[in-house]
Amino acid sequence: MRYYEVEPRVVYGRVVREGLTQWNEVFEGGDRFADFPNRGFLEGVVPGLPVGGAVLEYGCGTGPAACFLAGLGFRVDAVDVSPVAIALAKGFAEERGVRVNFGVQDVCRWPEVETRYDVVLDSYCLQNIVLDEDRAAVFRGVRDRLLPDGRYLISTALYDVDRVYGEELRYDAVTGICYRGELPYRRHLTPSALRAELEGAGFAVLSFSGTNLVCARA
């Protein structure tokens, strides 16, 4: 089991046991399925996206963003490393009468490219992909799957000077890596470091507002 598979097993186990609907509820409580964290960002960018376009969301979790976009008429493929999350996502999509092609996939180990997309979406997955080689693999996979005029939409946690990590976590300010014990846990980059990383991976950052980015192939 790789480092980024450990926490999903624990978190989605709690989602099932406690009758929750998404990852965010485990940590912050409150809002339910339709009120996922980057909904406002997506509502703002949707008018500029191709009507009925093809979307790939990776790290989709239980599928709130995927279901939201499918409900707007987009053709959505959505993947996650957690089989439990994907099983839940299929049920939530069926309950809401939307069609999403869900699947289990480790995006640090993409399969051969079969489909290219108008939009590739990351809904707070990237901070959980910590090591350089894994992030590079994710970015290569996105670039290979994105149509020439497509958009790469990212919502991600960033470095926050006021964030308190606690005694069980150790933050390395040089790399932006947060460790839990010896295990890589999160990657919290500064905005300038994340922009540089994306540009180095072959993307142009078209907008960067708060924790949300719109990128394109450079």
Side-chain angles (χ1 to χ4, degrees), residues 200-217:
F203 296 101
V205 179
L206 304 182
S207 71
F208 197 153
S209 178
T211 61
N212 302 306
L213 300 90
V214 177
C215 304
R217 291 175 58 173

Side-chain angles (χ1 to χ4, degrees), residues 17 35 38-39 49 52 59 64 71 97 105 135 137 174 188-189:
R17 290 194 305 274
D35 299 309
N38 61 335
R39 178 169 180 151
L49 302 178
Q105 178 61 53
R135 291 169 72 90
V174 175
H188 292 152
L189 297 177

